[in-house]
Amino acid sequence: MDSLRISDVVVAAGERRLVNIPVAKLTTSQPVLLPVIVHRGTRAGPTMFLSAALHGDEIIGVEIIRRVLKIPELSELKGTLLAVPIVNTLAFIHQSRYLPDRRDLNRSFPGSSGGSLAARLAWLFLREVVGRCDFGIDLHTGAVHRPNLPQIRTDLRNETNVRLAKAFGAPLFLDSLPTDGTLRQYTTKKNIPVILYESGEALRFDETAIRVGVQGVQNVMWEMGLLDRPPFSPLRAAEPVLAHSSRWIRAASSGILRTGIALGDHVRRGQVLGIIGDPFGESEQAVVSPTEGVVIGRLNLPLVHEGDALFHVGTFEVPEDAKQAVDQLSAEMRTRTGEEPPIV
């Protein structure tokens, strides 16, 4: 294998190096860096990127990458892994989704070398990392107070995306066209297969979401030939189930939401999902599901305003299959041994 030059650093076959790529400077003249762990095998193989914290408050992916980098089998890697646990370092430091100029990095692609700070970071990430890769996995979470079930989102028009989504092994996957300005819109145009893992919520760790993510990344590396699949690899709890569509159910009034509906619950059309009432017990309004499906995301904060997104319901050909896939995988991840002590 030839040496790989990233920024001004040359990484030879068989080496693992942390490359800090300069992005900009703070007002104190201290550098802002894009840290990339370059792990190269001694044998030829594909190049894969693994990224997290495009939104600085989405920290589950950071922990997933930390654990992936400790997998002993990486010593037998074929090809190259470019791991970027914190893409958006400034937002991460400030525990914020956004950069200091309030721009959303994942709405700023492909960026430019002479644009805003977000545009420059997007351009640099594409040039130094994504553009070198055959495929990638981008790790995300839900927003603050809005956790997601473990799920894969990708454009299923690309056959390799389908292969990656199924190999990852999250219980659910969604056919999701990319939004303007996102990393996935750029990679779709460039025909670089990318799947997006969504699980948990911003600024929180969730052990099940982390374990599903670590195992999913390893599953993809087996599938794509970066790692040799062991003869006794973990059995998949259930095959991933495809969501045909999804929709958010919103609050029709403001008040305090009381609900017994949890992530992963199977809900039916016409079912009362919760009650929104005022603090004084003078008025109440039911939140009714307009469709049958499985709750793949929901609001945890009971205080709601009219129009707030409350429940994200995915629709499936057989909703019971989706519910079963979620329950089986969650149970497996809770009981699996031989991993790090769980984070609570």
Side-chain angles (χ1 to χ4, degrees):
M1 290 175 60
D2 296 332
S3 295
L4 182 148
R5 178 181 291 275
I6 181 166
S7 187
D8 59 350
V9 178
V10 176
V11 185
E15 282 192 321
R16 175 164 164 174
R17 297 189 63 177
L18 170 61
V19 181
N20 284 308
I21 305 172
V23 177
K25 286 189 176 181
L26 299 173
T27 53
T28 58
S29 295
Q30 295 302 306
V32 177
L33 303 171
L34 176 65
V36 181
I37 296 93
V38 183
H39 189 114
R40 307 204 66 214
T42 56
R43 295 177 288 172
T47 300
M48 166 187 172
F49 78 83
L50 186 60
S51 59
L54 258 74
H55 296 131
D57 58 357
E58 298 182 6
I59 63 174
I60 283 178
V62 180
E63 175 65 10
I64 290 172
I65 293 178
R66 185 189 72 82
R67 296 190 191 185
V68 167
L69 291 171
K70 294 177 68 176
I71 295 173
E73 290 79 8
L74 284 184
S75 62
E76 302 297 324
L77 184 74
K78 291 182 285 187
T80 299
L81 172 65
L82 301 181
V84 191
I86 307 171
V87 178
N88 196 341
T89 52
L90 277 175
F92 181 81
I93 290 169
H94 291 96
Q95 301 176 20
S96 171
R97 178 183 179 91
Y98 305 106
L99 284 153
D101 60 3
R102 300 299 298 167
R103 283 182 168 87
D104 185 331
L105 177 59
N106 206 26
R107 298 297 185 273
S108 301
F109 289 96
S112 65
S113 60
S116 67
L117 179 58
R120 294 176 189 222
L121 177 54
W123 175 81
L124 187 66
F125 179 55
L126 294 180
R127 187 189 71 177
E128 296 290 354
V129 178
V130 177
R132 303 178 186 274
C133 294
D134 299 301
F135 65 94
I137 303 174
D138 190 25
L139 305 171
H140 285 260
T141 73
V144 175
H145 304 309
R146 284 188 172 83
N148 286 323
L149 271 180
Q151 59 194 261
I152 290 292
R153 300 180 185 179
T154 193
D155 186 343
L156 297 181
R157 296 174 298 180
N158 183 302
E159 292 183 0
T160 305
N161 283 347
V162 177
R163 183 182 173 191
L164 296 173
K166 290 183 176 181
F168 191 96
L172 312 174
F173 66 107
L174 286 71
D175 189 2
S176 172
L177 296 179
T179 303
D180 289 347
T182 59
L183 172 63
R184 282 203 305 122
Q185 185 191 47
Y186 173 85
T187 56
T188 298
K189 289 181 178 179
K190 295 295 184 181
N191 200 32
I192 303 171
V194 171
I195 58 173
L196 187 151
Y197 175 58
E198 279 271 3
S199 192
E201 67 175 302
L203 296 175
R204 297 288 185 273
F205 277 152
D206 179 296
E207 184 63 25
T208 297
I210 294 167
R211 291 189 177 192
V212 171
V214 173
Q215 185 60 61
V217 171
Q218 198 163 357
N219 290 344
V220 168
M221 296 177 80
W222 288 336
E223 175 70 19
M224 303 304 287
L226 281 93
L227 295 177
D228 291 327
R229 188 184 296 271
F232 302 105
S233 58
L235 294 176
R236 185 169 300 169
E239 287 297 315
V241 181
L242 172 64
H244 294 294
S245 62
S246 67
R247 64 182 296 180
W248 276 99
I249 300 169
R250 296 184 177 273
S253 61
S254 300
I256 300 174
L257 173 67
R258 306 191 306 277
T259 179
I261 301 299
L263 279 177
D265 280 357
H266 175 200
V267 298
R268 301 188 182 277
R269 184 175 183 179
Q271 180 178 342
V272 175
L273 304 182
I275 301 293
I276 298 175
D278 64 39
F280 318 107
E282 297 293 326
S283 65
E284 291 187 338
Q285 183 168 9
V287 180
V288 178
S289 178
T291 187
E292 181 178 12
V294 173
V295 178
I296 62 174
R298 56 152 292 181
L299 177 69
N300 274 345
L301 188 67
L303 309 181
V304 302
H305 291 98
E306 183 176 341
D308 280 356
L310 305 180
F311 303 96
H312 192 193
V313 178
T315 58
F316 301 85
E317 185 172 338
V318 182
E320 291 84 354
D321 288 349
K323 169 65 173 170
Q324 183 181 25
V326 170
D327 291 345
Q328 287 183 355
L329 188 62
S330 296
E332 183 206 346
M333 291 298 148
R334 286 194 300 270
T335 58
R336 179 171 294 178
T337 59
E339 301 201 21
E340 295 191 13
I343 295 175
V344 298

